[in-house]
Amino acid sequence: TGEIQAHLEEIYDTTVSRETISKITDEIVEDMLAWQNRPLDPLYPVVLIDAIVIKVRDAQVANRPVYVAIGVNLQGERDVLGLWLGPTGSEGAKQWATMLTELKNRGLADALIVCCDGLKGLPDSIRTTWPDATVQTCVVHLIRAPTRFVGYQHRKVVAAALKPIYQAPDADTARVELEAFKASDLGQRYPNTVAVFENAWERFTPFLAFPPELLRVIYTTNSFESLNFHLRKIIKNRGHFPNDGALV
């Protein structure tokens, strides 16, 4: 309310009390709730799930995860299906189950492919909600994860060496390329990089069964990179939000 008050005074040379501003902004809460609970299409071929961390004051200022689901409909259009504030700390299976059940209750009867970044408990919750859905780990996240174990001087070389794995035409070829990397000097030097792919293999390979024109939609969360960029641009100068309602 203070920022709005200062803005009105600067632009329009008008003084409006914070109480009046609060009453006006409260008018959008019903619209916000209606948006959060709106009916969804019965089928989204692709659903992307990710999280962004934002600071909120709850007794004290703490990082709160905001979970976002984006759906790609049959016309190829992207839409934010919902957002949820998670508890302070790491996410869990119970949180995911609540979110996915809400999406199903709002009409999303089935999703063909659900792309996520391997968040703990999420794949199991997806299979419980939509048993026939293909769970695809986000390849962009998977590529970034191994670089945590790689010395800075070798990161570009390792990234280039991993390309034949995720750009392979099929799962068998991808496996051959992974074994080749594993046997190479880089693979021997950084076994944890190999382990990241091996541990995520079942969630990594499903997208390789699809034609090239669909791969970009399925394997990356670029939609989130764009959305999160705009969200961060809005909140970067704020520091923190006073409460959950303000954040939403």
Side-chain angles (χ1 to χ4, degrees):
T1 53
E3 286 184 13
I4 295 171
Q5 187 181 43
H7 179 77
L8 291 172
E9 190 167 355
E10 179 185 351
I11 302 298
Y12 299 109
D13 195 23
T14 301
T15 302
V16 181
S17 72
R18 293 193 179 197
E19 183 183 8
T20 301
I21 292 169
S22 289
K23 287 179 180 176
I24 293 169
T25 53
D26 282 348
E27 290 295 314
I28 68 163
V29 172
E30 287 187 16
D31 291 339
M32 185 178 77
L33 292 173
W35 177 84
Q36 285 181 302
N37 294 288
R38 74 195 189 283
L40 299 174
D41 292 348
L43 172 68
Y44 284 87
V46 182
V47 173
L48 308 144
I49 298 173
D50 203 358
I52 181 173
V53 176
I54 301 175
K55 294 184 183 297
V56 182
R57 177 174 291 282
D58 182 9
Q60 60 183 20
V61 177
N63 288 330
R64 294 284 298 278
V66 180
Y67 306 109
V68 186
I70 292 178
V72 183
N73 66 17
L74 291 165
Q75 287 71 45
E77 299 163 340
R78 291 169 172 79
D79 191 18
V80 176
L81 306 180
L83 54 86
W84 303 263
L85 268 65
T88 302
S90 60
E91 65 283 325
K94 186 177 180 181
Q95 176 72 24
W96 295 123
T98 301
M99 285 171 42
L100 297 176
T101 299
E102 181 186 314
L103 290 175
K104 192 167 186 177
N105 290 341
R106 286 168 53 201
L108 207 173
D110 204 3
L112 305 185
I113 302 158
V114 182
C115 182
C116 56
D117 67 349
L119 295 163
K120 186 178 178 181
L122 181 51
D124 290 338
S125 295
I126 291 168
R127 293 188 186 97
T128 300
T129 309
W130 302 302
D132 297 325
T134 296
V135 180
Q136 170 67 49
T137 193
C138 172
V139 176
V140 173
H141 282 87
L142 189 63
I143 297 164
R144 287 175 184 164
T147 60
R148 296 199 307 267
F149 310 110
V150 176
Y152 183 77
Q153 72 275 22
H154 293 137
R155 285 186 182 178
K156 286 187 178 180
V157 180
V158 169
L162 293 175
K163 270 189 178 182
I165 301 171
Y166 62 85
Q167 291 185 348
D170 54 59
D172 290 339
T173 306
R175 189 79 216 188
V176 171
E177 294 292 349
L178 177 61
E179 293 300 327
F181 176 80
K182 186 176 181 178
S184 70
D185 290 341
L186 285 173
Q188 296 294 311
R189 181 189 288 263
Y190 299 111
N192 287 332
T193 297
V194 177
V196 168
F197 273 90
E198 288 181 333
N199 293 337
W201 195 254
E202 288 185 9
R203 291 179 284 107
F204 158 64
T205 52
F207 82 103
L208 293 173
F210 296 93
E213 52 269 29
L214 290 180
L215 295 186
R216 291 181 67 85
V217 179
I218 298 168
Y219 81 75
T220 175
T221 51
N222 278 345
S223 300
F224 276 109
E225 303 297 333
S226 174
L227 178 64
N228 289 348
F229 171 78
H230 289 291
L231 292 176
R232 288 192 179 99
K233 192 162 68 171
I234 294 166
I235 65 177
K236 68 178 181 179
N237 296 323
R238 180 171 296 279
H240 68 272
F241 288 85
N243 54 56
D244 291 354
L247 171 55
V248 177

